[in-house]
Amino acid sequence: MEIKKRKITGREKDQESIKLLNKLREELYSQHASNRRQAAFNLSWMQEDGLEMLQDALFGDFHVTTKNAATYGLRKMRGRMKNMALDVLKQGVKDNNKNTRDVCRNALLRLEGKIEKKPASKGSGHRNKFEIRDIPRGNRRQRTIGMLRDRRRGPIGNRSFNRD
């Protein structure tokens, strides 16, 4: 689905903030889950502008993964925006779209602590194919002792330096 161009609200202070908000908005609708989640988290720090973008993503006609990222951003809102984010999630539970209702209900349950974080699966992440273990020294001589013995011998062979 194509993303509509965002209207400038007047809250932005300069061109850089407008560019940053547009970039975060594009990443919120990205194909990559980590980019969506990171963008939603960054938008959660952006006060009214972030709330507005997350709300648009939640109530728009977008894929459920985008809606999940938006609810993640709403859950991470802090300060005075937290109550507004809760109101948006409660409004989403009453929405006509089934996906919106489901993700908002799950987000509220997570905030209440009724749904715990999923434990990381054992299959995810990097697994070592080989076990790291000690290799027995076997018949090899130890270098430190051999080097000390060679130093004591001196340049002329096996002569002892005892002056008794």
Side-chain angles (χ1 to χ4, degrees), residues 128-137:
N128 289 333
K129 292 182 179 179
F130 303 105
E131 179 182 330
I132 298 174
R133 56 188 171 176
D134 290 334
I135 299 173
R137 291 195 68 82

Side-chain angles (χ1 to χ4, degrees), residues 102-145:
D102 291 344
V103 295
C104 288
R105 183 175 34 84
N106 286 340
L108 288 171
L109 289 173
R110 278 188 191 273
L111 283 172
E112 293 172 2
K114 294 183 179 177
I115 296 180
E116 295 294 323
K117 283 185 176 179
K118 294 179 184 176
S121 64
K122 293 183 179 182
S124 67
H126 180 69
R127 286 187 279 166
N128 289 333
K129 292 182 179 179
F130 303 105
E131 179 182 330
I132 298 174
R133 56 188 171 176
D134 290 334
I135 299 173
R137 291 195 68 82
N139 291 334
R140 294 185 315 179
R141 71 173 207 214
Q142 293 180 351
R143 290 183 183 209
T144 55
I145 295 173

Side-chain angles (χ1 to χ4, degrees), residues 34-50:
S34 60
N35 291 352
R36 282 191 306 265
R37 194 171 176 93
Q38 187 66 42
F41 180 76
N42 288 338
L43 285 169
S44 73
W45 286 91
M46 304 245 171
Q47 306 277 323
E48 286 90 1
D49 290 324

Side-chain angles (χ1 to χ4, degrees), residues 46-75:
M46 304 245 171
Q47 306 277 323
E48 286 90 1
D49 290 324
L51 180 69
E52 178 187 330
M53 286 186 195
L54 293 172
Q55 189 173 4
D56 289 343
L58 183 63
F59 293 115
D61 187 26
F62 298 107
H63 196 265
V64 69
T65 56
T66 302
K67 293 175 184 282
N68 269 328
T71 57
Y72 175 76
L74 290 169
R75 285 188 289 127

Side-chain angles (χ1 to χ4, degrees), residues 74-97:
L74 290 169
R75 285 188 289 127
K76 296 299 178 183
M77 288 274 183
R78 298 287 179 240
R80 65 185 182 91
M81 301 304 293
K82 187 164 188 144
N83 289 334
M84 292 182 201
L86 283 173
D87 292 340
V88 169
L89 289 173
K90 289 175 184 174
Q91 181 184 353
V93 172
K94 300 172 187 172
D95 194 59
N96 293 335
N97 188 338

Side-chain angles (χ1 to χ4, degrees), residues 148-161:
L148 290 174
R149 189 179 314 131
D150 289 341
R151 283 189 195 142
R152 277 187 265 142
R153 287 184 186 161
I156 308 178
N158 219 356
R159 208 186 320 171
S160 167
F161 290 103

